[in-house]
Amino acid sequence: MNKFTQEQETEILRCARNLTAAILTEEDEITRLQSMPLPQKPAEPAMWEIDPPLTIQPIYPPKPKTSYTYTDFIKDFLQEKNLTKTKLILLIIILNGLLILLLPVAFLFTFSEYKKKQNELNGELAKNPEYVEAVAEAERIAEEKNKEAYEEYLKEKDRLEKLNKEEIEEYNNKIIPQYNTDLALWKNQQARKIEIITNDLKLNKETLDNLYTETRLVSATYRELWILDWLYKDMSTSDHDIRYATELLDRDRQRLATERAGQVTVDAINSMTNDMRQGFTAIYDAIETGNEIQQSTLATLSKTRRDMNIGNIIETIQHHNTNKKLDKVFED
């Protein structure tokens, strides 16, 4: 004969469900803490740089050009060869039909000679003292501007090099040492957080194992969170004992497992997390501010098992009718 009443069995299921949810929540929290990335190391300061100035080219005055035309060249050519109009006409008559064939050749020859003459005249004009002086002045102005630009470049380059040196010194002597100090503190705080949650997790697991061992009410095949939640809700809203509740569950267990297990587990953990997160936050705040962790703060974290001392679990259940208000971890 079962040594527990239906009400006592329901209370045992509630305790098992809450402890299981607490354990899963703390395991997730430890995983989260362990997987948190290290605080990022400050990037080295970017080095300021400046490019040398581009060379300023002189703005030369337009080159003088001769007004000597091809027509002028032909006139001079004829005069040089002493060809009068009469002689030229006579030559044309003599050559007659050959003139058409020779004319292109004559044109090319004379035009080539004209370009040579034109270049010679332009070269002579380029030696004009006024033009030479204007060219020299353009080069002087360009040289002066290049000198000024390079001097400004050297000043700015020197300023940036000093700035780079100052920033590197600050980075090496202040920023990095402070980062190393903060990193060591962060690692110590993380280790302390993990240690506290791990210790509480260990106690929750021991409490749950003792609950199962002492009561021998829930077999190993019914200890998943979604099953515990389903059984508790069925028994707390009916007069079903655990035997009948498990029979109902087994009739359609595969469908329930497929449809509800995942969501029930998520809902239960989320509900538990909302309560336990307050305990986590209080502990983390105390650690990060360097304050002592008060017993009241730790009690917030151990709320789930505070009234589940296995040494007194049977007595607690027997006095359930007169002392019904146990601290609830999440709203049913």
Side-chain angles (χ1 to χ4, degrees):
M1 181 178 177
N2 197 326
K3 57 183 178 181
F4 301 114
T5 66
Q6 191 273 347
E7 190 175 28
Q8 291 170 344
E9 289 181 346
T10 302
E11 184 61 20
I12 293 172
L13 262 295
R14 188 187 75 83
C15 293
R17 180 197 66 169
N18 290 1
L19 282 169
T20 301
I23 288 168
L24 293 175
T25 299
E26 290 182 321
E27 287 176 339
D28 287 345
E29 181 64 9
I30 291 172
T31 299
R32 186 187 72 84
L33 290 172
Q34 291 174 334
S35 62
M36 288 180 67
L38 296 175
Q40 189 171 5
K41 183 179 180 180
E44 293 186 3
M47 294 293 96
W48 298 93
E49 295 180 352
I50 183 173
D51 294 328
L54 297 175
T55 301
I56 299 173
Q57 299 299 329
I59 303 177
Y60 291 115
K63 288 185 178 181
K65 293 183 179 180
T66 181
S67 59
Y68 188 68
T69 64
Y70 182 64
T71 302
D72 295 332
F73 173 77
I74 293 299
K75 289 180 181 178
D76 292 343
F77 177 78
L78 294 176
Q79 291 177 359
E80 183 181 345
K81 300 301 181 182
N82 197 25
L83 291 176
T84 62
K85 288 184 179 180
T86 303
K87 291 180 180 180
L88 181 61
I89 293 171
L90 181 61
L91 179 61
I92 292 173
I93 293 173
I94 294 172
L95 294 175
N96 196 8
L98 293 176
L99 181 62
I100 296 175
L101 297 175
L102 294 175
L103 188 58
V105 176
F107 172 76
L108 290 174
F109 172 75
T110 56
F111 189 77
S112 175
E113 291 298 315
Y114 161 69
K115 294 304 293 183
K116 287 182 181 180
K117 182 67 176 178
Q118 187 185 48
N119 290 336
E120 290 175 1
L121 294 174
N122 284 336
E124 291 176 3
L125 290 174
K127 297 176 182 178
N128 182 287
E130 293 182 359
Y131 177 74
V132 171
E133 184 178 348
V135 169
E137 178 64 11
E139 291 177 344
R140 185 192 67 77
I141 292 173
E143 183 180 0
E144 185 176 307
K145 289 182 177 180
N146 281 319
K147 182 179 178 181
E148 291 176 356
Y150 193 72
E151 288 175 352
E152 289 297 319
Y153 159 73
L154 290 179
K155 289 180 182 179
E156 182 64 9
K157 183 172 180 289
D158 183 63
R159 187 187 73 83
L160 293 179
E161 287 177 350
K162 290 179 180 178
L163 180 61
N164 289 337
K165 183 179 179 181
E166 291 173 358
E167 292 187 353
I168 284 293
E169 288 178 351
E170 181 180 11
Y171 178 79
N172 291 330
N173 300 329
K174 292 183 180 180
I175 296 177
I176 289 302
Q178 183 61 51
Y179 165 75
N180 290 332
T181 299
D182 293 341
L183 179 62
L185 177 61
W186 184 87
K187 288 181 177 179
N188 289 335
Q189 291 176 348
Q190 287 296 102
R192 181 67 176 134
K193 293 174 186 178
I194 292 172
E195 178 188 13
I196 291 175
I197 305 302
T198 300
N199 289 339
D200 195 75
L201 172 63
K202 180 181 178 182
L203 292 175
N204 279 336
K205 287 183 175 180
E206 290 175 356
T207 303
L208 182 60
D209 288 342
N210 289 337
L211 176 65
Y212 287 141
T213 301
E214 292 292 332
T215 62
R216 302 183 65 83
L217 184 68
V218 183
S219 66
T221 56
Y222 294 93
R223 294 178 184 177
E224 293 181 57
L225 179 58
W226 76 270
I227 296 177
L228 294 171
D229 184 72
W230 191 96
L231 293 173
Y232 169 70
K233 287 180 178 178
D234 178 75
M235 293 168 63
S236 64
T237 56
S238 69
D239 60 356
H240 300 163
D241 61 9
I242 191 168
R243 181 184 296 275
Y244 188 73
T246 53
E247 288 177 358
L248 290 176
L249 174 65
D250 288 341
R251 291 178 189 175
D252 208 8
R253 186 170 179 176
Q254 186 58 48
R255 182 184 66 81
L256 289 171
T258 302
E259 295 179 359
R260 300 190 58 212
Q263 191 58 47
V264 168
T265 301
V266 170
D267 291 344
I269 290 179
N270 286 343
S271 184
M272 176 64 68
T273 299
N274 292 334
D275 252 8
M276 296 194 72
R277 180 61 59 186
Q278 298 178 11
F280 296 154
T281 301
I283 290 170
Y284 299 163
D285 288 345
I287 291 175
E288 291 171 3
T289 55
N291 296 326
E292 289 293 328
I293 300 177
Q294 302 298 324
Q295 189 61 36
S296 59
T297 303
L298 291 175
T300 304
L301 193 60
S302 62
K303 180 180 179 182
T304 307
R305 66 172 186 282
R306 194 164 59 223
D307 296 309
M308 298 180 189
N309 187 309
I310 296 305
N312 300 319
I313 187 65
I314 305 302
E315 181 182 354
T316 300
I317 294 172
Q318 289 173 344
H319 287 80
H320 180 68
N321 288 332
T322 58
N323 187 16
K324 195 172 184 180
K325 290 189 178 181
L326 294 174
D327 291 325
K328 287 192 176 181
V329 177
F330 52 82
E331 293 296 328
D332 293 334

